Amino acid sequence: MYSVDSLSGSLHQLETFLSEWTKYIEDFSLVNNSSSANQLCLKEENDHLKVCQSLFSLRVLVISIEQDKLACLQRSIDFQKEQYASLLDYNSKLEQLVEQKEATCSNLSCKRVSTETLDNAFSMLLGRQKELIKLWREDIQVLRSNFAASLQKIHVYLFHQLGILVEKFQDQQAQWMKCSQENRLLRRYIQEWKGNLRVVARIRPSLFGNECNNTALRFIGDDMITCHQPLGSSAMSFTFDQIFPPHLPQDFLYEELQPIVSSIFDGFHSCIVAYGPTGSGKTFTVFGPDGKSGVVEFAIRMLFAVTDNDPSLVATISMLEIYNETVRDLLSEDPMASLEVREDTTTGDVFAKGAVEMEMASYSDALRIIQSGLDFRSTSATLLNISSSRSHLLCILKIRGGNEHIGSLYIADLAGSERVTHSHVQGERLDETKHINRSLSCLADVFSALRNQQAHIPYRNSRLTFLLRPALSKAGKAMLIVHVSPEEQELSETIQTLRFGQRARDIELRPSKSQDSSSIFLRRQISLLRQQLADERRQRK
């Protein structure tokens, strides 16, 4: 069988031969034009050759078509061979599976169990499970009944114990209330025995770092101080309820203040007054450094220690400034506005009309309120003090139970007494000094009238004494803290301040004799408490 390429080559050779033969005939015809018979014969031959060429081309085309068909058949045969090979492979796998099936069936036939045997075994297992479930239900029922009985017994026991605890709590509460009342009465008796007006002295540390033994002041025990004057003058001695040397921290002062602060819950009007010359440490005692760790902070901590356990009690605070005999409210929106001092004719209380009383929600809130008030206080620099208070400051703490006023505590940081010959102030500072000295003189007049037990006490001569009247009366309780400096160059102001405190100590703010309880038993109790307090102080030292 010839390929298509060989046939195409033969056809090409035939076409070349025909074209050469045609050219030959044409050339021959041009040479032999005379022989028409020959030309006719050649023409016929040429036409015959062309027909043969056409037939040959057609035959070649048919052969190429048949060749394409043969190629398609060859490809189909190849594909069928591949399919046959895959079928043979699949057949071999099927034969292997059949062999495995026969082996498995033979194994199963060896291990075959009858259906009746399986049904019997399943019935036996089901019966056992039913019996176990029945037993479990019976056990659960027994446990439920036992649990209910035990729970009932526990309830009875717990209610019984609860009743016992309630009775014990009520007994202990009654005992606590009784002890609290006895402590309150004992505290009142101690305060009455010590005197409702107590005077203590506090000496600030030396600014030059001198030891106390090198100054003009000497301490004898814890209640006497002596001043050694120069030029051979005799020493002067002053006795107070307590003396706090420079090396003692403020914690020791708090022990003396505790009865005064606690009396607010007994319904008393009490006051703590810081008195002394300029630069003697009054503001440090009252407010401490940066408004903390002072008398005010200690009093607020004591108030919250009680009010936190009794939601019915509410603590409030007011801050009043007395500047040039003008009362200002440092907590109001306009701290420079002047307020009128009024008297409640029903209760006898004295108050500044329109003053703000802010409720203290927490200890930190109270410190924030105090600092906001101190920011508006009038201070100025003088020759005696770089930051001298030019006004009296009253911090008023009150306790209210519902709508009723229980008690109040006035904490006064007085402006320092000073001599113009020493401070050399002029102008506005001179007017401030005059008003300060005049109000302090009025305070001395009130103390003098109380010491002499005069019928008329000149409280109204000054805004300061008028506002302090509830606490400086015989129904009140007061503590005067006199502050002095240990420096020798300030010895004259120190002696004047100590004399003022000595005179104030002679005042007796006591109730009538019908209210004075000073039995032998109470004196023994007071003596025992003083001894315990002295032992604790020695242990701390």
Side-chain angles (χ1 to χ4, degrees), residues 404-416:
E404 297 182 359
H405 175 213
I406 296 178
S408 57
L409 175 65
Y410 298 79
I411 302 177
D413 179 18
L414 303 183

Side-chain angles (χ1 to χ4, degrees), residues 179-336:
C179 292
S180 177
Q181 186 176 4
E182 291 177 355
N183 291 336
R184 183 180 301 176
L185 292 175
L186 184 59
R187 190 168 57 244
R188 184 183 302 177
Y189 294 150
I190 292 173
Q191 184 65 28
E192 291 175 1
W193 180 79
K194 289 182 176 181
N196 286 345
L197 175 60
R198 289 177 51 77
V199 182
V200 299
R202 189 177 192 190
I203 297 87
R204 70 161 172 79
S206 174
L207 299 178
F208 304 101
N210 299 329
E211 295 293 336
C212 254
N213 293 332
N214 297 330
T215 63
L217 302 181
R218 298 289 186 272
F219 305 102
I220 301 176
D222 59 355
D223 59 354
M224 183 176 291
I225 185 173
T226 60
C227 298
H228 297 271
Q229 303 184 54
L231 302 176
S233 301
S234 59
M236 302 180 63
S237 299
F238 301 93
T239 303
F240 299 97
D241 294 300
Q242 185 71 35
I243 294 178
F244 298 95
H247 64 275
L248 289 182
Q250 297 207 135
D251 295 343
F252 289 84
L253 180 62
Y254 297 158
E255 295 179 1
E256 292 293 326
L257 296 176
Q258 186 172 2
I260 297 292
V261 178
S262 299
S263 63
I264 188 175
F265 296 102
D266 299 333
F268 286 94
H269 297 287
S270 306
C271 73
I272 300 172
V273 180
Y275 178 88
T278 299
S280 58
K282 300 181 299 298
T283 303
F284 182 88
T285 298
V286 175
F287 293 102
D290 301 329
K292 297 179 181 179
S293 302
V295 172
V296 175
E297 187 262 352
F298 165 73
I300 290 174
R301 277 194 283 115
M302 284 194 63
L303 295 185
F304 275 109
V306 177
T307 57
D308 288 344
N309 297 323
D310 190 352
S312 63
L313 299 180
V314 177
T316 62
I317 183 172
S318 301
M319 296 184 70
L320 302 179
E321 180 187 46
I322 304 174
Y323 177 78
N324 292 349
E325 283 301 304
T326 300
V327 180
R328 299 174 178 175
D329 185 4
L330 299 182
L331 299 182
S332 66
E333 296 180 355
D334 185 9
M336 303 301 293

Side-chain angles (χ1 to χ4, degrees), residues 11 52-65:
L11 179 61
C52 291
Q53 184 181 0
S54 300
L55 292 174
F56 185 79
S57 298
L58 181 61
R59 181 62 57 86
V60 170
L61 179 62
V62 171
I63 291 171
S64 64
I65 292 171

